[in-house]
Every structure is written in C-alpha cells, then in structure tokens.
Amino acid sequence: MSRSGKFGSTILRFDTLESTNDYARNLAASGEDEGTVVIARRQTRGRGQHGRSWISPAGHGLYFSVILRPQVRAEGFGVLTLGAAVAVAESIAAFVHLKPDIKWPNDVLISGKKVCGILVESAIESGIVRYAILGIGVNVGQTIFPEEIAGTATSLTIESGVETRTEDFLPGLLDSLELWYRRSLNEPAGVLARWQELSSYARGCAVRVFGPDGEIEGVTEGLTDQGALIVRTITGERREIFSGEVSLRKL
Ligand code: BTN
C-alpha cells in the first residue's frame, strides 16, 4: 500500500491482540509517532463505548487504532471525535456509493444499523491532550453477525450487495481520517458543519439520551462549537450533551 500521508506511514499488523487501542496506547506512552496504525485480524478483548465489548472475530471486520498527538486543549477533543465519524462516512460513501448516517457522536449507520464504531481515548495533562488513540471497528465483509448484535449491526457487503474486503477499504479510510483530523485542528467549524449535513440526528430529531445526569427526552437543535449535542427537552429547557447514549424516540 503506497500512501503519501502520515497516517499509516507505519502500520503494525498483528494476528491477535486483546485490543488495538490498548496496544497503541502503550506505544504512544513510550513516544511512538503520530500516525502509526496498529491493526489486528482479531481482538480478544475489543472495547466499545460505555464499557461495552466490541465483538472482534477474525474474518471480515476491520479493527485498528491510530496514534494522534493533537496538542489541543481538552475542550477541542469533541470535534476530533466528530471528525473521525465524518471521515468514516465520507470514505464509505466513496467506496461503496452508499450514504451513511451518523448518530451522535460518532456511530456510523447504514439503513439505521451500525456499520462502524469509534472509540477515541485520550491522555490529558494540564488541560492539554498529550496523545489520543483513535480506535475504529468497521464491519466490512460480514454476511452474518452473532445473535446479540444481529438486529443492530450491518456491513458494507450486506448494504452494497458487493463483496468488500478490509484491505481494499483501509487505504482510502486512512486518507480520509487524516484529512478530517487536520480539519478538526485547523477549521473545526467546517467539521461541525459537515457532521450536521451528514447526520439525520443533528436537528429536529426526537431523542432520548442516557447520560451521566440520567435520562432526558427532547428534540435535537444542532451542535455547540465544542461538538456537544443541543437538546430542547420536552419541558422547554436547552441542554448541551457532552457524553451519553442517544436513541431515537417514537413520537
Ligand atoms: C463503539 O462502541 O461504537 C466503539 C467501538 C470501537 C471498536 C474499535 S475496534 C479497534 C479498537 N480497539 C478496541 O478495543 N476498540 C476499537
């Protein structure tokens, strides 16, 4: 794979890791360069958001992590995670000519089902992000899923009807991730605007949010400058959601 960008100029490939995020975090803590990619054919303890596991058998799933050294204040971190979702959605659109949706903050969906999950973890010192690990799991070539996620997961192969392979998808995805990462640092407003164009959850969407302060119900009203989701609650209050799990609410 010949690529001009920094992301993937070093790619460390493994058959089996517990979690590519954990491996990459240890490397980053020992000084490994920005852009190094850690990829595994399978993970034995793949991690997802909200303490969940990410089922990672060998075969048709793409599991990798990228080391980032953004040197931004911690407040800029939200835009980085939204930018990663934009990058994935754009690269899927270019690769299989489908139009993915994004559920706040960074679940990438096709036909309402999850095709990619993103877990960004950071080391923050004195309010500055010293390094971050961008962990990405993409369902590429699966045609069946384990029972527990069969109703909520989909893959590029299922949605496009064309057999797709992880190694064909990765180079374009890395280019897109690097492009949107640079934009997150240099023109965050452009990232927020693109995220809102791509996401059906951005505005006027009836949602329920399970967050650190409990559950709220309301309608979305876009993003703040830091990437928080604005929700007008059913009692008329304006709330900014910085973390939590969003689901659709039937009206
Ligand atoms: C989510 O819950 O949506 C996020 C899933 C992130 C999974 C990826 S797979 C590669 C990397 N390593 C991990 O342990 N998790 C992330």
Side-chain angles (χ1 to χ4, degrees), residues 5-207:
K6 198 171 177 189
F7 281 26
S9 51
T10 301
I11 298 186
L12 304 174
R13 292 180 182 276
F14 297 86
D15 183 73
T16 306
L17 285 178
E18 287 195 349
S19 158
T20 57
N21 262 36
D22 292 348
Y23 196 92
R25 191 184 54 222
N26 287 336
L27 285 179
S30 331
E32 180 69 29
D33 285 344
E34 177 166 87
T36 292
V37 170
V38 175
I39 179 164
R41 213 166 62 85
R42 74 181 185 112
Q43 300 181 113
T44 53
R45 296 180 69 173
R47 292 185 293 106
Q49 295 165 24
H50 311 295
R52 286 197 284 259
S53 60
W54 186 259
I55 301 169
S56 314
H60 305 290
L62 181 57
Y63 320 113
F64 70 98
S65 303
V66 188
I67 294 174
L68 306 177
R69 296 194 179 276
Q71 303 297 313
V72 289
R73 296 205 57 76
E75 302 85 79
F77 189 67
V79 179
L80 285 185
T81 75
L82 300 179
V86 169
V88 173
E90 297 264 8
S91 62
I92 289 175
F95 189 67
V96 288
H97 309 295
L98 294 167
K99 194 174 172 299
D101 193 3
I102 307 175
K103 179 163 84 82
W104 189 88
N106 56 17
D107 284 350
V108 182
L109 314 175
I110 305 178
S111 312
K113 293 184 170 183
K114 190 153 161 172
V115 70
C116 170
I118 299 172
L119 180 67
V120 196
E121 297 175 306
S122 62
I124 295 174
E125 277 170 31
S126 312
I128 304 283
V129 180
R130 295 296 169 199
Y131 63 81
I133 306 301
L134 170 59
I136 302 204
V138 189
N139 300 327
V140 178
Q142 293 94 330
T143 50
I144 49 168
F145 287 96
E147 200 182 324
E148 57 266 47
I149 56 170
T152 54
T154 192
S155 74
L156 298 183
T157 290
I158 291 171
E159 296 299 326
S160 67
V162 177
E163 197 180 321
T164 48
R165 298 184 315 160
T166 55
E167 60 271 33
D168 297 334
F169 181 56
L170 182 64
L173 176 55
L174 290 177
D175 286 341
S176 185
L177 286 169
E178 184 156 5
L179 177 76
W180 286 97
Y181 171 61
R182 306 263 170 245
R183 287 187 178 157
S184 303
L185 300 179
N186 300 325
E187 39 164 332
V191 174
L192 297 172
R194 187 65 184 134
W195 189 97
Q196 291 179 89
E197 281 169 8
L198 291 169
S199 173
S200 71
Y201 285 74
R203 282 176 191 281
C205 183
V207 292

